[in-house]
Amino acid sequence: MNTKRKVEVFSAGCAVCDEAVALVERVACSSCEVTVHDMKDINAAKRAKTLGIRSVPAVVIDGKLAACCEGRGIDEAILRVAGLGRSL
Amino acid sequence: MNTKRKVEVFSAGCAVCDEAVALVERVACSSCEVTVHDMKDINAAKRAKTLGIRSVPAVVIDGKLAACCEGRGIDEAILRVAGLGRSL
């Protein structure tokens, strides 16, 4: 029986993603099995989509997207309010 | 005088970032000057840090990080509550 906690980090390999990977690996313990998924990999990107990931880095613990990574990503309505698409 | 609205998209070139760039370019109008910054570029990454960007994609309009991109990024306390680092 696999008693390890499955920790997945979805990363695009940029500076902010690398920092997140470092943090997760620093905090992880012997009970944590950490896997880093490269978002450039089509299967990782597909999996990310099914998990509702719309920004990276994103962390999934035992198959559940961590609360700090939920509901993220850009928002068209908010961008419009900030001026995007409004002629000057 | 430059009357265009400066719209910057910080991207790591992954699937979720590409989707965001496409959305911004779709919504942008002739008053919007859209620039896509590659987070793999050290200067873009430095600029992103000064703007408080901790996840990508991120959109900055006239020098201000859009509300949907503020305060993002992974959170160590939340990850610990979700189990990261807790032995089984």
Side-chain angles (χ1 to χ4, degrees):
Chain A
M1 194 190 73
N2 175 358
T3 55
K4 291 233 176 185
R5 175 180 302 105
K6 204 175 166 197
V7 180
E8 299 169 271
V9 185
F10 289 77
S11 164
C14 67
V16 292
C17 290
D18 292 346
E19 274 173 37
V21 171
L23 183 154
V24 167
E25 287 177 340
R26 174 173 55 78
V27 176
C29 65
S30 55
S31 296
C32 299
E33 180 191 279
V34 178
T35 307
V36 179
H37 297 292
D38 177 359
M39 282 291 281
K40 299 280 175 48
D41 171 76
I42 186 81
N43 296 314
K46 275 185 195 160
R47 178 113 195 290
K49 204 167 188 106
T50 62
L51 289 161
I53 292 171
R54 294 187 57 243
S55 70
V56 286
V59 180
V60 174
I61 297 179
D62 285 338
K64 189 174 179 307
L65 186 55
C68 49
C69 305
E70 271 180 343
R72 298 309 194 221
I74 67 171
D75 180 299
E76 181 174 337
I78 291 176
L79 294 179
R80 285 181 181 276
V81 166
L84 184 66
R86 191 185 331 130
S87 56
L88 295 174
Chain B
M1 195 188 75
N2 176 358
T3 55
K4 291 234 178 186
R5 174 180 303 102
K6 203 176 169 197
V7 180
E8 299 168 272
V9 185
F10 288 78
S11 163
C14 66
V16 292
C17 291
D18 292 345
E19 273 174 40
V21 171
L23 183 154
V24 167
E25 287 177 340
R26 174 173 56 78
V27 176
C29 66
S30 55
S31 295
C32 299
E33 179 190 280
V34 178
T35 308
V36 179
H37 297 292
D38 177 0
M39 283 291 281
K40 299 279 175 51
D41 171 77
I42 186 81
N43 296 314
K46 275 185 194 161
R47 179 117 192 289
K49 202 165 191 115
T50 61
L51 289 162
I53 291 170
R54 294 187 56 245
S55 69
V56 287
V59 180
V60 174
I61 297 181
D62 285 338
K64 188 174 180 305
L65 187 55
C68 49
C69 305
E70 269 179 344
R72 299 310 193 218
I74 67 171
D75 180 298
E76 180 173 339
I78 291 176
L79 294 179
R80 284 182 182 275
V81 166
L84 184 64
R86 193 185 330 131
S87 56
L88 295 173

